[in-house]
Amino acid sequence: MKVAPEITYRNVDKSDALDNLVNEKIGKLEQVCDYISSCHIAIEKIHDRPRSGSPYRVRIDITVPPGHELVAESNPSDTNQYAPLDAVVRDAFKAAVQQLRKLSKRQQESDKAKTHDDPQESIALVTKLFPDRGYGFIKTIDNAQEIYFHRNSVLHDDFDRIEIGTGVRFSVEEGEEGPQATTVQIVNKPGASVGKSEQTLIEPPLGWRE
């Protein structure tokens, strides 16, 4: 995940057990899709003494390059048997995993179709950037290859808008020192999200996990 997840607790006491469970489930998300742009998790208690159902609600907002926004939520209704917090957390992440799997499958099928028509066009993330020197490196979504790009190859003079973790679409050609990206086009910015939590307990530093 190129931006650290944001986790918000509202009217819920954070415990080591809960924190470990959430981090374990975040790891499951990364196993399904290791190029998630951002992930915002809200865990809240919405009722103090519900007659039935669960007092808890968990919402997960995820963005995936080039601009997909996924929302998974678990909020057991009053008709359900009382569900403890850990069960609500598991249900929310289960729904998120299912959505990511469907999206990843669609993207893989789309990539195969594009490869058939235009084998040179791909989606990648910026992994290294040297603004003073006017170049950087991008890595394809499947982590197969890291490719050099120059500021002159970035469309619309957008080089200065690029950051570590920016998603781009590009073509590739052979240069004197190996493959290099051409016609680099920004398709998303780091940290783009929907339903962002009002309170952030974990600040999202820009970075990239190799």
Side-chain angles (χ1 to χ4, degrees), residues 164-194:
I164 299 294
T166 298
V168 297
R169 180 181 290 109
F170 74 101
S171 297
V172 65
E173 66 180 22
E174 285 296 323
E176 295 181 358
E177 299 182 5
Q180 66 180 48
T182 63
T183 59
V184 177
Q185 181 180 8
I186 294 175
V187 292
N188 84 304
K189 290 291 292 177
S193 64
V194 293

Side-chain angles (χ1 to χ4, degrees), residues 14-28:
K14 181 181 177 182
S15 66
D16 290 340
L18 179 59
D19 190 53
N20 290 337
L21 174 61
V22 171
N23 285 311
E24 174 191 338
K25 295 303 180 181
I26 290 173
K28 297 291 185 182

Side-chain angles (χ1 to χ4, degrees), residues 1-4 29 33-41 60-72 96 99-100 103 107 125 165 187-196:
M1 201 172 298
K2 63 186 183 181
V3 176
L29 295 180
C33 179
D34 61 359
Y35 51 95
I36 295 172
S37 299
S38 63
C39 180
H40 307 279
I41 303 160
I60 305 171
D61 295 272
I62 300 171
T63 57
V64 177
H68 301 283
E69 300 176 340
L70 305 178
V71 178
Q99 291 188 47
L100 279 175
L103 176 60
Q107 287 185 323
L125 304 174
V187 292
N188 84 304
K189 290 291 292 177
S193 64
V194 293
K196 187 174 181 180

Side-chain angles (χ1 to χ4, degrees), residues 5 36-37 49 52-53 55 79 84 100 108 123 129 137 146 162 182:
I36 295 172
S37 299
R49 293 189 179 92
S52 61
T79 59
L100 279 175
Q108 290 172 4
I123 298 293
L129 191 63
F137 291 87
E146 196 168 57
I162 291 177
T182 63

Side-chain angles (χ1 to χ4, degrees), residues 143-159:
N143 288 341
Q145 188 177 23
E146 196 168 57
I147 302 171
Y148 166 90
F149 74 96
H150 190 271
R151 70 177 304 131
N152 294 338
S153 299
V154 180
L155 298 180
H156 313 302
D157 294 324
D158 277 346
F159 180 81

